[in-house]
């Protein structure tokens, strides 16, 4: 139980950061980008509001799952919470990239 509290605090903090990114994405007037150092031009996206909303939901969902790993560690132990976090950071990251590509392709103008 003692190691579960720091794990919970760290995952809640990290999850909160992802949720803030999601809220920021939803409120943006220009298209939200996924990759660091890249931009998505206004001309590329057919419905910027829907595109940003989908991006925001993706990031908020990821943040909730990250925070959930901390709660799982509190309930079931740090080992189980850590396994969930490792899966989230590996498989979940691949799913984030795949989801973003789907969002981008859905709202891309030239499809």
């Amino acid at each position: 139980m003692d190691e579960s509290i720091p794990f919970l605090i760290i995952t809640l903090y990290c999850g909160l950061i992802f949720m803030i990114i999601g809220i920021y994405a939803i409120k943006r007037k220009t298209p939200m980008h996924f990759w660091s150092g890249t931009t998505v031009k206004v001309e590329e996206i057919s419905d910027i509001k829907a595109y940003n909303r989908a991006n925001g939901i993706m990031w908020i969902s990821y943040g909730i799952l990250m925070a959930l790993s901390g709660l799982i560690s509190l309930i079931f132990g740090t080992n189980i919470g850590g396994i969930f976090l490792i899966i989230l950071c590996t498989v979940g990251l691949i799913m984030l990239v795949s989801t973003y590509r789907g969002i981008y392709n859905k709202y891309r103008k030239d499809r």
Side-chain angles (χ1 to χ4, degrees):
M1 179 77 162
D2 292 336
E3 66 274 357
S4 295
I5 301 298
F7 187 84
L8 173 66
I9 292 169
I10 291 167
T11 56
L12 287 175
Y13 181 74
C14 292
L16 181 64
I17 290 170
F18 285 113
M19 288 183 247
I20 289 170
I21 291 170
I23 293 167
Y24 173 74
I26 290 171
K27 293 182 180 276
R28 272 181 69 120
K29 302 295 182 207
T30 57
M32 181 70 174
H33 57 279
F34 184 81
W35 305 103
S36 176
T38 63
T39 58
V40 178
K41 295 180 178 80
V42 174
E43 302 82 34
E44 293 178 53
I45 304 299
S46 60
D47 185 352
I48 294 171
K49 187 173 183 175
Y51 169 82
N52 283 345
R53 181 168 160 57
N55 266 308
I57 290 170
M58 175 188 71
W59 285 115
I60 290 168
S61 300
Y62 191 73
I64 289 170
L65 288 173
M66 186 158 288
L68 183 63
S69 69
L71 294 174
I72 287 171
S73 76
L74 197 61
I75 297 167
F76 299 107
T78 308
N79 289 341
I80 303 297
I83 291 169
F84 185 82
L85 183 63
I86 289 168
I87 292 169
L88 182 65
C89 290
T90 54
V91 176
L93 188 61
I94 294 167
M95 291 177 66
L96 267 178
V97 171
S98 177
T99 301
Y100 174 74
R101 286 184 180 177
I103 292 167
Y104 179 79
N105 288 332
K106 180 178 179 181
Y107 295 104
R108 193 178 66 205
K109 278 187 179 177
D110 63 348
R111 55 183 177 115

